[in-house]
Amino acid sequence: MSSVITPDSLNWLYRGTSEIFPSQPDSNNPEENLEKLIEKSDRPLRVKLGIDPTGTDIHLGHSIPFRKLRAFQDAGHTAVVIIGDFTAQIGDPTGKSEVRKQLTSEQVKSNAENYLEQLRPILDFDTPGRLEIRYNSEWLKELNLAKIQELLATMTVGQMLAKEGFAERYKQENPIFLHEFLYPLMQGYDSVMIDADVELGGTDQKFNIAVGRDLQRHFGKKPQFGLLLPILLGTDGSQKMSKSLNNYVGLKEDELSMYSKLEKTPDAIIKDYFELLTNLPLDQLPENPRDCQKLLALEIVTQFHSQKAAITAQKTAEDLVKNKGTGATDAVPEYDLSNVEFPAKLFYILNASGLCGSSGEGRRQIQGGAVRLDGEKISDVNITFDNLEQLSGKVLQVGKKKFIKLV
Amino acid sequence: MSSVITPDSLNWLYRGTSEIFPSQPDSNNPEENLEKLIEKSDRPLRVKLGIDPTGTDIHLGHSIPFRKLRAFQDAGHTAVVIIGDFTAQIGDPTGKSEVRKQLTSEQVKSNAENYLEQLRPILDFDTPGRLEIRYNSEWLKELNLAKIQELLATMTVGQMLAKEGFAERYKQENPIFLHEFLYPLMQGYDSVMIDADVELGGTDQKFNIAVGRDLQRHFGKKPQFGLLLPILLGTDGSQKMSKSLNNYVGLKEDELSMYSKLEKTPDAIIKDYFELLTNLPLDQLPENPRDCQKLLALEIVTQFHSQKAAITAQKTAEDLVKNKGTGATDAVPEYDLSNVEFPAKLFYILNASGLCGSSGEGRRQIQGGAVRLDGEKISDVNITFDNLEQLSGKVLQVGKKKFIKLV
């Protein structure tokens, strides 16, 4: 979203990016230039992104900085994913925050693994040198009072209270506990310890990333760049995506659920979704808004499942919608496979279920390319299934209007 | 200075005391009662007082809480003197404060020893079980981030900013560095670690001592009592005693310097000086203000030197003042002992120096009790000195007006 004219070769850097700081290019400070650093560096940059392992379910909103991280990986750089296990294991010492419940190291490890597993479709886990996963307890548990005092002394109360979040709470006389001032410093110290060149985060992370720059400078290191990404609106198109508002799409959702939510993406935010959640060229999107929605849904389901699954989900969803017209939301007709003797040819089932008037019509429909099983076109006229389990739960379809659920 | 009627047996507790908190007796909270604790405890109480070993010269203002500490010792309790070596060795990480210069552990140790040496005239160093000296690095250097987070979480930013000193600085937008919030917590944690029953301090220490109570409660211990003592005004009678204002009396000053400063104590503050710096009964002080000043000066010089030294100082000072009238501040006549053949009788020196008209007059003056050597009355008519060193530098005096310095 930068308005600066940049080389096409850096499109991956600017796509969907809210802000890079120090700004690019910065004539006041020509030395600090991320573009130059990316172009000239003779080593992979170290690009930091932190994970809070207190929760387990992540949604598309969380995925945005990871998609940018992947873009850095693809450009040859090293993603350094920081698992914030130290804080999670301490929890909130005031015991007042449900969000900061104290977790055991096993819980944290399990959460972190779960989190990383969900990132598999996004990040490059396999190319050597492209991914480093670090637990910040590695260095934070070693900090003593002298070092912590040194960290604290780099900032004033006024600077800390100017931070978004703190400022309002202080003004409204809502208590801010002193240990809360540690969190930005701990996050910043992570940058010192892993020698981050760039830190990614949502726009709400600007303060913390800037603290990282200050601390790196304090410890005689080169300060990182901050790259901020927008906070994603939810599928309602109005509020920040969040589980509690039920306007989210979880990365672990099944293809049909994911598709169904995304194909209703409001027009007002669909361009942002394309920009932030896909790599499709934004100037080649369909003109028809409905086609746009479908393309978005297909594309994102494909990322997290497969193209095949996406197409099936699309079909199923469309069929479900069509049947809504009949007044019955659950009106997909079912056919009970227990009447079928296995192994069975598909054309036989087309006949037996009533989708076709005869086995012969079934064969002709398959030959004509009109038959799909869970959205996938069947081209083998003699396709045979060995048992009920191969078909149970799938949707069998002839042409655009006739379908049945096999149970 | 408490207006509460208390048993005479606790006079030592209340003399000069500004405040005890929780207050005594506290009907709202009858359990928390220092008087009762003192009367009923079956073990010596642990009475804490901290020393900042960044400076070396201490003055009468500093001595006040140590005098109270001695009163606790005399009542059978244990003085726990905390040497704040941890903070002194860190210094001020911002490097902005001259006061909090970073010191080596050798410097800290030497400062602490020097400090303690100056307290010898005040504290009971000898009775077993009455004095414990602890360096707080013993526990503070062991603190890790988890524990420090726990300490910080016991307080809010609002509570900390309400502290005298912070409040004004924050209002005036003078920077308060975050690590400054650690100091009250570190001092409070000292109370936790040494199981303090009482902490002594100046009235400016109320906040820090209260933090100690909170932390003790947090760690499941019985909170200490705070006993606050006034900040002493300087010899100018108007501003807090301080070296930089040159209105101080240092504990290491020689007797004449100490005497000369104290015998000019302004009337407006002399009663406070008696109350805070001596154990004399306040209802038996001389009525004549000049006598009061002299008594105060004699009494305090006696504490830090000896009665003999105090008397000599008084004489010397008086003589100096008298001679001021002649226009010569250094007009004490001298007598050169190198003219004397040792061993020598004192009555001979009285004659030779011209203080008496003959050796016989010298003998008679000694017999009449009019002769003093360095303020000490000489009664032995035949007193003999073996060599020059026994007399050199001393003041020899006959009656109230005639005196001479032997050199």
Side-chain angles (χ1 to χ4, degrees):
Chain A
M1 301 182 189
S2 168
S3 58
V4 177
I5 296 162
T6 55
D8 282 351
S9 61
L10 287 176
N11 276 347
W12 63 268
L13 180 65
Y14 288 103
R15 180 174 178 132
T17 296
S18 289
E19 184 182 352
I20 294 174
F21 64 97
S23 56
Q24 311 296 314
D26 180 356
S27 55
N28 291 326
N29 206 343
E31 285 311 297
E32 285 209 285
N33 189 320
L34 178 56
E35 285 184 11
K36 219 196 264 176
L37 184 64
I38 289 172
E39 281 163 2
K40 304 259 169 86
S41 180
D42 54 3
R43 59 168 178 85
L45 300 183
R46 298 177 62 72
V47 186
K48 174 192 170 197
L49 182 53
I51 286 179
D52 172 10
T54 50
T56 52
D57 284 343
I58 54 179
H59 57 57
L60 289 178
H62 300 119
S63 77
I64 293 174
F66 287 99
R67 290 181 50 78
K68 185 61 72 183
L69 194 60
R70 171 59 181 265
F72 274 96
Q73 287 184 309
D74 289 345
H77 304 291
T78 302
V80 186
V81 173
I82 308 283
I83 316 282
D85 67 328
F86 184 82
T87 312
Q89 285 179 57
I90 295 182
D92 180 5
T94 65
K96 283 177 187 127
S97 161
E98 262 305 295
V99 183
R100 291 211 178 265
K101 268 192 304 202
Q102 187 171 0
L103 302 180
T104 65
S105 72
E106 288 71 32
Q107 286 172 311
V108 169
K109 207 169 156 53
S110 148
N111 283 353
E113 278 165 8
N114 193 315
Y115 205 121
L116 290 169
E117 194 53 40
Q118 293 173 69
L119 296 174
R120 284 211 167 258
I122 302 176
L123 290 182
D124 178 354
F125 278 68
D126 303 318
T127 310
R130 293 278 163 84
L131 179 61
E132 204 176 296
I133 294 166
R134 303 285 288 272
Y135 288 75
N136 68 1
S137 62
E138 179 188 334
W139 45 85
L140 293 182
K141 75 179 179 204
E142 301 298 332
L143 286 183
N144 61 20
L145 181 51
K147 190 65 123 187
I148 291 162
Q149 182 161 349
E150 184 180 352
L151 293 181
L152 286 167
T154 61
M155 288 191 73
T156 68
V157 178
Q159 287 167 338
M160 200 55 102
L161 283 181
K163 176 173 151 60
E164 207 182 326
F166 287 151
E168 305 89 76
R169 284 166 62 195
Y170 188 68
K171 209 170 160 191
Q172 290 162 18
E173 300 187 359
N174 288 331
I176 300 168
F177 288 89
L178 293 184
H179 69 286
E180 299 183 63
F181 284 177
L182 284 174
Y183 298 133
L185 290 164
M186 283 154 68
Q187 181 172 333
Y189 192 63
D190 292 346
S191 294
V192 175
M193 294 309 287
I194 63 136
D195 289 314
D197 295 301
V198 186
E199 179 165 355
L200 310 186
T203 46
D204 56 354
Q205 290 296 308
K206 184 164 186 180
F207 182 89
N208 293 351
I209 296 174
V211 170
R213 286 174 54 80
D214 290 342
L215 288 183
Q216 287 176 309
R217 232 183 257 115
H218 174 82
F219 287 102
K221 299 194 166 184
K222 206 167 159 300
Q224 65 190 1
F225 288 88
L227 189 156
L228 305 181
L229 293 147
I231 306 297
L232 193 69
L233 287 179
T235 50
D236 56 1
S238 61
Q239 287 187 279
K240 178 182 159 178
M241 182 173 280
S242 101
K243 207 171 172 184
S244 57
L245 294 171
N246 200 25
N247 64 354
Y248 72 106
V249 180
L251 303 197
K252 285 202 294 194
E253 286 186 38
D254 69 58
E255 50 263 46
L256 186 57
S257 165
M258 210 177 230
Y259 185 91
S260 309
K261 289 179 177 181
L262 287 166
E263 69 154 351
K264 291 177 213 127
T265 305
D267 294 344
I269 60 168
I270 200 161
K271 196 119 190 241
D272 287 345
Y273 270 42
F274 271 112
E275 184 172 19
L276 295 166
L277 302 171
T278 80
N279 291 332
L280 296 178
L282 300 181
D283 52 4
Q284 294 168 32
L285 299 179
E287 281 181 25
N288 179 309
R290 184 75 195 114
D291 290 343
C292 253
Q293 289 177 317
K294 289 183 187 177
L295 178 61
L296 178 77
L298 274 177
E299 181 64 22
I300 293 177
V301 175
T302 299
Q303 284 174 31
F304 292 98
H305 297 279
S306 67
Q307 189 164 33
K308 183 178 150 189
I311 292 165
T312 307
Q314 182 174 53
K315 294 294 167 205
T316 311
E318 280 172 359
D319 292 341
L320 285 166
V321 169
K322 276 173 204 147
N323 279 283
K324 260 193 184 161
T326 68
T329 53
D330 205 357
V332 192
E334 294 184 348
Y335 175 66
D336 187 349
L337 292 168
S338 62
N339 301 320
V340 176
E341 192 174 339
F342 284 93
K345 301 250 185 213
L346 187 61
F347 61 75
Y348 166 76
I349 295 172
L350 285 166
N351 175 34
S353 65
L355 278 173
C356 297
S358 67
S359 291
E361 189 200 336
R363 292 176 62 106
R364 280 192 299 279
Q365 292 286 13
I366 295 173
Q367 281 172 326
V371 175
R372 287 170 185 264
L373 187 64
D374 259 7
E376 191 166 78
K377 194 187 281 181
I378 304 293
S379 46
D380 177 1
V381 168
N382 288 309
I383 189 167
T384 305
F385 296 91
D386 292 333
N387 52 47
L388 184 146
E389 283 68 37
Q390 290 179 313
L391 291 172
S392 179
K394 296 195 171 169
V395 172
L396 184 60
Q397 180 179 6
V398 179
K400 290 194 174 174
K401 296 191 177 164
K402 290 161 75 179
F403 57 90
I404 208 160
K405 188 165 189 185
L406 303 173
V407 293
Chain B
M1 300 185 189
S2 169
S3 57
V4 177
I5 297 161
T6 56
D8 284 350
S9 62
L10 287 176
N11 277 348
W12 65 268
L13 181 65
Y14 287 104
R15 181 174 177 130
T17 296
S18 288
E19 184 181 353
I20 294 175
F21 63 97
S23 57
Q24 309 300 314
D26 181 356
S27 55
N28 291 326
N29 207 344
E31 286 309 298
E32 284 209 285
N33 189 322
L34 179 55
E35 286 184 11
K36 218 195 267 176
L37 185 64
I38 288 171
E39 282 163 2
K40 304 257 169 89
S41 179
D42 54 3
R43 58 166 177 86
L45 301 182
R46 297 176 61 73
V47 187
K48 173 193 169 196
L49 182 53
I51 286 179
D52 172 10
T54 51
T56 52
D57 284 342
I58 55 181
H59 57 56
L60 289 178
H62 301 119
S63 78
I64 294 174
F66 287 99
R67 290 181 50 79
K68 184 62 72 185
L69 194 59
R70 171 59 182 263
F72 273 96
Q73 287 184 311
D74 289 345
H77 303 291
T78 303
V80 186
V81 174
I82 307 282
I83 316 281
D85 67 327
F86 185 82
T87 313
Q89 285 178 58
I90 294 181
D92 179 5
T94 65
K96 280 174 189 131
S97 161
E98 260 305 295
V99 184
R100 290 211 179 265
K101 267 192 307 202
Q102 186 172 0
L103 303 180
T104 65
S105 72
E106 287 72 32
Q107 285 172 313
V108 169
K109 206 169 158 51
S110 150
N111 283 352
E113 278 166 8
N114 193 315
Y115 204 122
L116 290 170
E117 194 52 41
Q118 293 172 69
L119 295 174
R120 284 213 167 256
I122 302 176
L123 290 182
D124 178 355
F125 278 67
D126 303 318
T127 310
R130 293 277 164 84
L131 180 61
E132 202 176 296
I133 294 165
R134 304 285 289 273
Y135 288 76
N136 69 1
S137 62
E138 179 188 336
W139 46 85
L140 293 182
K141 75 180 179 202
E142 301 298 332
L143 286 183
N144 61 21
L145 181 50
K147 191 64 124 185
I148 292 162
Q149 182 161 349
E150 184 180 353
L151 294 180
L152 287 168
T154 61
M155 290 191 72
T156 68
V157 178
Q159 287 167 338
M160 200 54 103
L161 283 181
K163 175 173 152 58
E164 207 181 326
F166 287 152
E168 305 89 76
R169 284 168 62 196
Y170 188 68
K171 208 169 161 195
Q172 289 162 16
E173 300 188 359
N174 288 331
I176 300 168
F177 289 88
L178 294 184
H179 70 286
E180 299 183 61
F181 284 178
L182 284 174
Y183 298 133
L185 291 164
M186 283 155 68
Q187 182 173 333
Y189 192 64
D190 291 346
S191 294
V192 174
M193 293 310 287
I194 63 137
D195 289 314
D197 295 301
V198 187
E199 179 166 357
L200 310 186
T203 45
D204 56 353
Q205 290 297 307
K206 185 165 187 179
F207 181 90
N208 293 350
I209 295 174
V211 170
R213 286 175 54 80
D214 289 342
L215 287 183
Q216 286 176 310
R217 231 183 258 113
H218 175 82
F219 287 103
K221 301 194 165 184
K222 205 166 159 303
Q224 65 191 2
F225 288 89
L227 190 156
L228 305 182
L229 294 147
I231 305 298
L232 192 70
L233 287 179
T235 50
D236 56 359
S238 61
Q239 285 187 278
K240 177 182 160 179
M241 182 174 281
S242 103
K243 206 170 173 186
S244 56
L245 294 171
N246 201 25
N247 61 356
Y248 73 106
V249 181
L251 303 196
K252 285 201 294 193
E253 286 186 36
D254 68 61
E255 50 264 45
L256 186 58
S257 164
M258 210 177 230
Y259 185 92
S260 309
K261 289 180 178 180
L262 287 167
E263 67 154 354
K264 291 178 212 126
T265 305
D267 294 344
I269 60 168
I270 201 159
K271 196 119 190 240
D272 287 346
Y273 270 43
F274 270 111
E275 183 172 20
L276 295 166
L277 301 171
T278 80
N279 291 332
L280 296 178
L282 300 182
D283 52 3
Q284 295 169 31
L285 299 179
E287 281 181 24
N288 179 309
R290 184 74 194 116
D291 290 343
C292 255
Q293 288 176 317
K294 288 182 187 176
L295 179 61
L296 178 77
L298 274 177
E299 181 64 22
I300 293 178
V301 176
T302 298
Q303 283 175 32
F304 292 98
H305 297 280
S306 67
Q307 191 166 30
K308 182 178 153 188
I311 291 166
T312 309
Q314 182 174 52
K315 293 296 167 201
T316 313
E318 281 172 0
D319 292 341
L320 285 167
V321 169
K322 276 171 205 151
N323 279 284
K324 257 190 186 161
T326 69
T329 54
D330 205 356
V332 191
E334 293 183 349
Y335 177 67
D336 188 349
L337 292 169
S338 61
N339 302 321
V340 177
E341 192 175 340
F342 284 91
K345 303 250 184 209
L346 188 61
F347 60 75
Y348 167 76
I349 296 172
L350 284 167
N351 175 33
S353 65
L355 279 173
C356 297
S358 66
S359 291
E361 189 201 335
R363 292 176 64 106
R364 281 192 298 278
Q365 292 286 13
I366 294 173
Q367 281 173 325
V371 175
R372 288 173 184 261
L373 188 63
D374 257 8
E376 192 166 78
K377 193 188 283 181
I378 304 294
S379 46
D380 177 1
V381 167
N382 287 310
I383 189 169
T384 305
F385 296 90
D386 290 333
N387 53 47
L388 184 146
E389 283 69 37
Q390 289 179 313
L391 291 172
S392 179
K394 295 197 172 168
V395 172
L396 183 62
Q397 180 178 3
V398 178
K400 291 194 169 171
K401 297 189 176 164
K402 289 161 76 180
F403 57 91
I404 208 159
K405 188 165 189 185
L406 303 173
V407 294

